[in-house]
Amino acid sequence: MTDNAFAAKLAARKAAAATPAPVDPVAAKIAARRAELAGAPKAATETGKDVSAPANPFAAELAARKSAPADPAAPKTWADTAKDAAASFGSGVSLGSSELLQLPVTALRGIKNGLNYGADKIEDAARSVVGAPLSDQARADRESTRQSHDLVGQAQDAARGALTSYLHKPETKTGEYAASVGAALPGAALMPARSAAETALNAVRFGVPSGLGSEAGGQMAKGSKYEPAARAAGGALGALVGPGLVEGASRVVSPIDTPAARLPAIDVMRREGIPLTAGQATGSKPLKWMESAISDLPFAGGGANRITEAQREAFTQAGLRRMGVAPVEGQLATPETMRQGAQALRDEFNDLSSRNVMINDAQLRSDLRGARTAYDQAAIPAQQRPVVGNTIGDLLAEPWGVHGERYQNTRSSLSKQAEGLRFADPPSADALRAVRDAMDAAMRRSISPQDARAWDDARQRYGNMKTLEKAMGGAGEQTAQGVLSPTKLRAAASAGNAKPGYVRGNSDLGELARAGETVLAPLPQSGTAPRQAVMHSLQSGGAVGAALSGHPIAAAAGVIGPAVAGRALMSPVVQAYLRNRAASGVRGIPTAPQLAAGVANGAVANSALAPSGLSGLSDLFAPQRKAYAR
């Protein structure tokens, strides 16, 4: 032993360090639990040896799932999902159609099972009172006996099983929803409807929402005995809210309704190449006020004003086309244009007349004598003008007919004389027009077949020219510049003898005039409360900002903001969006019978995809049977 005290102490400490430390029992248990969760063998914690930390159990589970072999039948791409959805939709349509045909049988089974359920509950209550409850085996035997005697139910289930064995089974959630939508469509197609378009509308606003609602309910109660009821409730709820959802979605796509009475006028405008603003196309007065007011703001682009100018030019050219004037860019109904059009028509009539002869047939003679009789009844001989009797006598005296050129000169003279006597001597004016009309009818019967169509077209354009002359003869700055006014055209097209044709829709220019009055009627340009309200709302924001901040940038924003809004509103993209009617056809408030039928269809048809098929709804009070397992 050494005499060095320090060496002795050091040796004692080394000996103590070599002795094993006592084991903490709590720490040992924690280490063992971690090792157990990690799947590692228990360490010799009792000996106090070091145990390495185990892995995270959640990470281990995730790693195990990743390492599991993939299901080769599971869809892996969007294309696989789309294919599954399409096939499942077809299966749903087949199931929905089948269940629709079986609906009477299903309803009877549901009633019978409901009665049995009620009777069983009453029996159970009575047995509970006397202390003699049925055993589980007795209950099972009772249900087995009922099922063995239910031949109709067995046949229905067998038919369902045979059908579903040939149908595609959904492999994805998307496929399951597609199958439910498909199952709801056959019933929606048979709902009350007044047209094929309304039948399609019912499918959109009842079939699709009820199918989605049914599947959502089925997913929440999947695998339980309440899944059929959940599908029925979800389908009924979907049918209730479906019309509102479709209405809201259609408002996003097509924000403004266009009245049906306005559509024919819009079609005429489009056919004639006349541009319209969104407000004019939809008939929305607030939008028209906005378009009118915003275009007058500084730097707003003047979009509405440019469209208005283009409308005036296009509308005028549409009228000129109807009298045979070929459209030229920038052309208006100026005196020179009207003269050229009239001369072109005279040349065309002269050309056609020179190749034909008005034959003095029996019908012409009868018409002339009728005109003379009507004149004699309208005016006494002393008041009659010789020109009427002389013209009728000369025409009746023609042994064979009148050459085309002579016919043309005579009828033109009769038209001028009748127009001159329209107010001074109405009976004579009517008689002259009757003679002219008789000659026109005779010429139409006499003209050669190859010229008949050209003759009719020229006559119509001639009548349109006379109407345009009346419209362009009015007062006004725009009219003096050659702009054809829809209001003045309507007045000319419905004046005098032309009124019946205008009212009945038989007037060529009457159609254009009616469309112009419907769509192009201008709004007041100043001093009106709606216009002032629009202007104030557009300008007040910037003005207030400038006043509060006192900064020139705020004042500039007060001008730039409305200007940007004006350009945006009148941009082609925004105008096309506001006037589009792409989703207008899916709007409409369903009738009470339609709503009731939609709810019933959603409650019944959409439960066809429950684990026990549609029978799951009828068998809600009976033990569950698997007929269509997913």
Side-chain angles (χ1 to χ4, degrees):
M1 175 178 295
T2 177
D3 295 332
N4 192 329
F6 178 77
K9 289 182 180 181
L10 182 61
R13 288 183 179 180
K14 286 183 178 180
T19 304
V23 178
D24 186 351
V26 176
K29 288 183 179 180
I30 292 176
R33 180 59 178 164
R34 287 180 176 177
E36 181 180 356
L37 291 175
K42 291 185 179 180
T45 55
E46 293 81 358
T47 63
K49 293 183 179 179
D50 183 28
V51 179
S52 58
N56 188 317
F58 301 103
E61 175 67 18
L62 182 60
R65 291 187 180 184
K66 287 183 177 180
S67 63
D71 182 4
K76 302 178 183 61
T77 65
W78 285 105
D80 293 331
T81 302
K83 183 178 179 181
D84 175 57
S88 301
F89 177 79
S91 298
V93 172
S94 299
L95 281 172
S97 302
S98 173
E99 296 300 334
L100 196 62
L101 296 175
Q102 301 177 50
L103 186 58
V105 176
T106 302
L108 291 176
R109 291 180 67 186
I111 294 173
K112 183 187 70 174
N113 289 334
L115 294 176
N116 288 337
Y117 178 82
D120 292 346
K121 289 297 183 182
I122 294 174
E123 181 183 358
D124 291 344
R127 285 180 174 275
S128 178
V129 171
V130 299
L134 279 179
S135 64
D136 292 341
Q137 182 61 41
R139 294 176 188 276
D141 292 342
R142 180 178 62 186
E143 183 60 29
S144 177
T145 301
R146 286 173 178 171
Q147 293 182 8
S148 64
H149 288 83
D150 186 11
L151 300 180
V152 174
Q154 294 176 15
Q156 186 182 35
D157 291 342
R160 286 194 179 107
L163 175 62
T164 55
S165 64
Y166 290 100
L167 295 177
H168 172 81
K169 307 298 187 298
E171 300 171 355
T172 62
K173 281 286 192 293
T174 304
E176 292 175 355
Y177 277 93
S180 291
V181 171
L185 292 183
L190 297 181
M191 288 174 55
R194 291 162 290 189
S195 63
E198 192 170 15
T199 298
L201 175 59
N202 287 339
V204 173
R205 63 184 178 181
F206 289 114
V208 175
S210 63
L212 296 176
S214 167
E215 187 58 36
Q219 292 290 335
M220 288 188 291
K222 193 170 186 178
S224 71
K225 64 175 292 186
Y226 300 105
E227 181 176 349
R231 288 183 175 276
L237 181 61
L240 279 174
V241 303
L245 294 177
V246 172
E247 177 80 12
S250 70
R251 291 288 177 185
V252 174
V253 177
S254 301
I256 303 177
D257 276 329
T258 301
R262 198 177 188 85
L263 297 180
I266 296 174
D267 291 339
V268 172
M269 296 290 103
R270 183 174 59 250
R271 190 169 64 245
E272 297 294 338
I274 301 173
L276 300 176
T277 68
Q280 291 172 327
T282 60
S284 170
K285 283 192 174 181
L287 183 55
K288 285 195 286 186
W289 282 114
M290 181 70 73
E291 292 169 343
S292 174
I294 206 167
S295 293
D296 291 341
L297 294 176
F299 311 111
N305 296 331
R306 288 197 305 271
I307 293 178
T308 300
E309 291 299 322
Q311 287 172 355
R312 291 169 179 168
E313 180 180 321
F315 188 81
T316 302
Q317 292 179 2
L320 292 174
R321 272 196 300 273
R322 281 167 162 77
M323 66 171 282
V325 176
V328 178
E329 185 177 357
Q331 186 179 46
L332 298 175
T334 60
E336 181 182 0
T337 301
M338 298 298 293
R339 282 195 303 269
Q340 292 174 352
Q343 185 60 49
L345 277 173
R346 280 195 295 269
D347 294 342
E348 187 173 356
F349 274 121
N350 291 336
D351 180 56
L352 290 171
S353 300
S354 64
R355 300 198 299 264
N356 294 275
V357 174
M358 185 192 75
I359 299 175
N360 190 352
D361 57 9
Q363 183 62 49
L364 174 61
R365 293 191 293 273
S366 176
D367 292 342
L368 292 174
R369 293 190 183 99
R372 181 58 196 248
T373 300
Y375 188 42
D376 290 341
Q377 293 174 350
I380 60 176
Q383 294 179 331
Q384 293 180 0
R385 294 181 180 269
V387 65
V388 177
N390 293 339
T391 302
I392 294 175
D394 291 344
L395 291 173
L396 290 174
E398 291 289 341
W400 185 73
V402 177
H403 189 269
E405 185 176 355
R406 186 181 173 196
Y407 151 81
Q408 186 66 30
N409 294 333
T410 302
R411 75 157 323 273
S412 296
S413 178
L414 290 174
S415 296
K416 293 177 182 178
Q417 290 173 335
E419 185 65 22
L421 296 174
R422 183 175 56 164
F423 300 109
D425 190 356
S428 298
D430 291 341
L432 291 172
R433 278 194 291 265
V435 174
R436 180 200 61 191
D437 294 343
M439 293 178 63
D440 289 343
M443 190 63 174
R444 180 60 183 83
R445 292 192 300 269
S446 307
I447 201 168
S448 63
Q450 58 268 28
D451 289 336
R453 185 172 181 178
W455 179 269
D456 292 340
D457 183 60
R459 294 298 312 158
Q460 184 178 48
R461 285 186 281 116
Y462 177 81
N464 291 340
M465 182 190 71
K466 303 304 290 184
T467 301
L468 287 174
E469 288 176 348
K470 294 178 183 178
M472 297 306 300
E477 179 182 356
Q478 294 289 331
T479 302
Q481 295 174 359
V483 175
L484 178 61
S485 163
T487 302
K488 293 180 179 179
L489 179 60
R490 184 203 61 79
S494 60
N497 295 329
K499 180 174 288 187
Y502 175 82
V503 173
R504 298 167 189 166
N506 298 327
S507 171
D508 190 23
L509 277 174
E511 178 190 47
L512 181 63
R514 193 187 302 271
E517 274 284 85
T518 301
V519 179
L520 301 180
L523 290 171
Q525 291 300 305
S526 62
T528 55
R531 182 180 177 86
Q532 291 176 349
V534 171
M535 296 291 289
H536 176 71
S537 64
L538 290 172
Q539 294 175 326
S540 59
V544 171
L548 292 178
S549 66
H551 199 280
I553 296 180
V559 177
I560 295 174
V564 172
R567 291 179 180 273
L569 177 63
M570 300 310 299
S571 67
V573 174
V574 174
Q575 286 283 299
Y577 169 69
L578 293 174
R579 74 160 63 92
N580 92 88
R581 304 196 306 271
S584 298
V586 298
R587 293 176 188 161
I589 300 175
T591 62
Q594 286 176 334
L595 189 60
V599 172
N601 176 64
V604 176
N606 286 283
S607 61
L609 298 178
S612 54
L614 189 67
S615 61
L617 184 59
S618 61
D619 292 342
L620 181 60
F621 305 104
Q624 202 170 7
R625 295 189 297 275
K626 300 291 182 179
Y628 180 54
R630 285 179 173 173

Short mmCIF file of all heavy atoms in Angstrom, two decimals, residues 4 10 84 93 108-109 124 161 177 241 258 265 295 309 314 325 332-333 359-360 392 415 439 461 554 568-569:
data_model
loop_
_atom_site.label_atom_id
_atom_site.label_comp_id
_atom_site.label_asym_id
_atom_site.label_seq_id
_atom_site.Cartn_x
_atom_site.Cartn_y
_atom_site.Cartn_z
N ASN A 4 1.06 7.55 -0.13
CA ASN A 4 0.52 8.79 -0.75
C ASN A 4 -0.99 8.83 -0.57
O ASN A 4 -1.73 7.98 -1.10
CB ASN A 4 0.88 8.83 -2.23
CG ASN A 4 0.60 10.20 -2.81
OD1 ASN A 4 -0.30 10.91 -2.38
ND2 ASN A 4 1.42 10.58 -3.79
N LEU A 10 -7.68 8.52 -5.20
CA LEU A 10 -7.92 8.30 -6.63
C LEU A 10 -8.26 6.85 -6.92
O LEU A 10 -9.19 6.55 -7.69
CB LEU A 10 -6.69 8.73 -7.42
CG LEU A 10 -6.80 8.60 -8.95
CD1 LEU A 10 -7.94 9.49 -9.46
CD2 LEU A 10 -5.47 9.01 -9.61
N ASP A 84 -63.43 5.53 -65.09
CA ASP A 84 -64.26 4.93 -64.05
C ASP A 84 -65.54 5.72 -63.84
O ASP A 84 -66.62 5.15 -63.67
CB ASP A 84 -63.46 4.87 -62.75
CG ASP A 84 -64.29 4.38 -61.58
OD1 ASP A 84 -64.84 3.27 -61.68
OD2 ASP A 84 -64.40 5.10 -60.57
N VAL A 93 -77.25 4.99 -64.52
CA VAL A 93 -78.43 5.18 -65.38
C VAL A 93 -79.18 3.87 -65.53
O VAL A 93 -80.43 3.83 -65.47
CB VAL A 93 -77.99 5.73 -66.75
CG1 VAL A 93 -79.17 5.75 -67.71
CG2 VAL A 93 -77.41 7.13 -66.60
N LEU A 108 -94.69 -1.59 -52.46
CA LEU A 108 -95.47 -2.59 -51.73
C LEU A 108 -94.63 -3.30 -50.68
O LEU A 108 -95.08 -3.55 -49.56
CB LEU A 108 -96.06 -3.60 -52.71
CG LEU A 108 -97.17 -3.07 -53.64
CD1 LEU A 108 -97.58 -4.14 -54.63
CD2 LEU A 108 -98.36 -2.60 -52.83
N ARG A 109 -93.38 -3.60 -51.03
CA ARG A 109 -92.49 -4.25 -50.07
C ARG A 109 -92.21 -3.33 -48.89
O ARG A 109 -92.12 -3.77 -47.73
CB ARG A 109 -91.18 -4.66 -50.74
CG ARG A 109 -91.34 -5.78 -51.75
CD ARG A 109 -90.01 -6.14 -52.36
NE ARG A 109 -89.10 -6.73 -51.39
CZ ARG A 109 -87.83 -7.02 -51.64
NH1 ARG A 109 -87.32 -6.76 -52.86
NH2 ARG A 109 -87.07 -7.56 -50.71
N ASP A 124 -93.41 -7.25 -29.08
CA ASP A 124 -92.32 -7.18 -28.11
C ASP A 124 -92.75 -6.43 -26.85
O ASP A 124 -92.37 -6.81 -25.72
CB ASP A 124 -91.12 -6.48 -28.74
CG ASP A 124 -90.48 -7.33 -29.83
OD1 ASP A 124 -90.75 -8.55 -29.89
OD2 ASP A 124 -89.70 -6.76 -30.64
N GLY A 161 -79.75 -8.66 -58.57
CA GLY A 161 -78.44 -9.30 -58.56
C GLY A 161 -77.95 -9.63 -59.95
O GLY A 161 -76.76 -9.47 -60.26
N TYR A 177 -69.95 9.03 -57.00
CA TYR A 177 -70.83 10.19 -57.21
C TYR A 177 -71.44 10.17 -58.62
O TYR A 177 -72.61 10.52 -58.80
CB TYR A 177 -70.05 11.49 -56.98
CG TYR A 177 -69.96 11.89 -55.53
CD1 TYR A 177 -68.87 11.51 -54.76
CD2 TYR A 177 -70.97 12.63 -54.94
CE1 TYR A 177 -68.79 11.86 -53.42
CE2 TYR A 177 -70.91 13.00 -53.61
CZ TYR A 177 -69.81 12.61 -52.84
OH TYR A 177 -69.74 12.96 -51.52
N VAL A 241 -82.96 21.87 -52.85
CA VAL A 241 -82.07 23.02 -53.00
C VAL A 241 -81.51 23.13 -54.42
O VAL A 241 -80.93 24.16 -54.77
CB VAL A 241 -80.90 22.95 -51.99
CG1 VAL A 241 -81.43 22.86 -50.58
CG2 VAL A 241 -79.98 21.76 -52.29
N THR A 258 -82.61 38.38 -70.37
CA THR A 258 -83.14 39.08 -71.53
C THR A 258 -84.58 38.65 -71.74
O THR A 258 -84.84 37.45 -71.90
CB THR A 258 -82.33 38.76 -72.79
OG1 THR A 258 -80.96 39.14 -72.57
CG2 THR A 258 -82.86 39.52 -73.99
N ALA A 265 -86.31 40.92 -81.87
CA ALA A 265 -85.70 42.19 -82.30
C ALA A 265 -84.18 42.10 -82.29
O ALA A 265 -83.51 42.62 -83.19
CB ALA A 265 -86.18 43.32 -81.38
N SER A 295 -69.91 56.97 -70.52
CA SER A 295 -69.19 57.32 -71.75
C SER A 295 -68.96 58.82 -71.88
O SER A 295 -68.12 59.25 -72.68
CB SER A 295 -69.97 56.80 -72.97
OG SER A 295 -69.98 55.40 -72.99
N GLU A 309 -73.04 55.79 -82.90
CA GLU A 309 -72.78 56.25 -84.26
C GLU A 309 -72.76 55.09 -85.25
O GLU A 309 -73.30 55.18 -86.36
CB GLU A 309 -71.45 57.01 -84.31
CG GLU A 309 -71.45 58.34 -83.57
CD GLU A 309 -72.47 59.30 -84.16
OE1 GLU A 309 -72.63 59.33 -85.40
OE2 GLU A 309 -73.10 60.05 -83.39
N ALA A 314 -75.36 51.68 -89.50
CA ALA A 314 -75.76 50.32 -89.88
C ALA A 314 -77.27 50.22 -90.07
O ALA A 314 -77.75 49.53 -90.98
CB ALA A 314 -75.30 49.33 -88.81
N VAL A 325 -80.21 49.29 -102.60
CA VAL A 325 -78.96 50.04 -102.63
C VAL A 325 -77.87 49.21 -101.95
O VAL A 325 -78.01 48.84 -100.78
CB VAL A 325 -79.11 51.40 -101.92
CG1 VAL A 325 -77.78 52.14 -101.88
CG2 VAL A 325 -80.17 52.24 -102.62
N LEU A 332 -75.12 56.99 -96.12
CA LEU A 332 -76.36 57.32 -95.45
C LEU A 332 -77.43 57.59 -96.50
O LEU A 332 -77.17 57.63 -97.71
CB LEU A 332 -76.17 58.53 -94.54
CG LEU A 332 -75.17 58.38 -93.39
CD1 LEU A 332 -74.99 59.70 -92.64
CD2 LEU A 332 -75.59 57.27 -92.43
N ALA A 333 -78.66 57.79 -96.03
CA ALA A 333 -79.79 58.00 -96.95
C ALA A 333 -79.87 59.47 -97.34
O ALA A 333 -80.88 60.16 -97.12
CB ALA A 333 -81.08 57.54 -96.29
N ILE A 359 -101.38 41.00 -120.48
CA ILE A 359 -102.46 40.39 -121.26
C ILE A 359 -103.80 40.82 -120.67
O ILE A 359 -104.01 40.81 -119.46
CB ILE A 359 -102.33 38.86 -121.24
CG1 ILE A 359 -101.00 38.43 -121.88
CG2 ILE A 359 -103.50 38.20 -121.96
CD1 ILE A 359 -100.73 36.95 -121.80
N ASN A 360 -104.71 41.19 -121.56
CA ASN A 360 -106.05 41.61 -121.15
C ASN A 360 -106.91 40.36 -120.96
O ASN A 360 -107.72 40.00 -121.82
CB ASN A 360 -106.65 42.54 -122.21
CG ASN A 360 -107.93 43.21 -121.73
OD1 ASN A 360 -108.46 42.87 -120.69
ND2 ASN A 360 -108.43 44.16 -122.52
N ILE A 392 -110.38 53.26 -117.38
CA ILE A 392 -111.01 51.93 -117.37
C ILE A 392 -111.52 51.56 -118.75
O ILE A 392 -111.35 50.44 -119.23
CB ILE A 392 -112.15 51.91 -116.33
CG1 ILE A 392 -111.57 52.06 -114.90
CG2 ILE A 392 -112.95 50.62 -116.43
CD1 ILE A 392 -112.62 52.16 -113.82
N SER A 415 -100.39 56.23 -110.19
CA SER A 415 -99.90 56.39 -108.81
C SER A 415 -99.75 57.85 -108.45
O SER A 415 -100.14 58.28 -107.35
CB SER A 415 -98.55 55.68 -108.65
OG SER A 415 -98.68 54.28 -108.83
N MET A 439 -104.02 46.40 -112.82
CA MET A 439 -103.00 46.28 -113.86
C MET A 439 -101.77 45.52 -113.34
O MET A 439 -101.19 44.69 -114.06
CB MET A 439 -102.58 47.68 -114.34
CG MET A 439 -103.67 48.44 -115.08
SD MET A 439 -103.10 50.10 -115.57
CE MET A 439 -101.75 49.68 -116.69
N ARG A 461 -89.05 46.01 -103.44
CA ARG A 461 -88.07 47.06 -103.21
C ARG A 461 -88.63 48.43 -103.55
O ARG A 461 -88.28 49.44 -102.93
CB ARG A 461 -86.80 46.76 -104.01
CG ARG A 461 -85.98 45.63 -103.39
CD ARG A 461 -84.65 45.41 -104.08
NE ARG A 461 -84.81 44.66 -105.32
CZ ARG A 461 -84.56 45.12 -106.52
NH1 ARG A 461 -84.15 46.38 -106.68
NH2 ARG A 461 -84.71 44.37 -107.59
N ALA A 554 -54.75 62.29 -55.22
CA ALA A 554 -56.14 61.91 -54.95
C ALA A 554 -57.08 62.54 -55.96
O ALA A 554 -58.05 61.92 -56.40
CB ALA A 554 -56.52 62.33 -53.53
N ALA A 568 -63.49 49.83 -68.96
CA ALA A 568 -63.70 48.41 -68.65
C ALA A 568 -65.12 47.98 -68.99
O ALA A 568 -65.34 46.91 -69.57
CB ALA A 568 -63.40 48.15 -67.17
N LEU A 569 -66.12 48.82 -68.63
CA LEU A 569 -67.51 48.48 -68.90
C LEU A 569 -67.78 48.32 -70.39
O LEU A 569 -68.51 47.41 -70.80
CB LEU A 569 -68.43 49.54 -68.31
CG LEU A 569 -69.94 49.35 -68.59
CD1 LEU A 569 -70.44 48.06 -67.96
CD2 LEU A 569 -70.73 50.55 -68.06
#
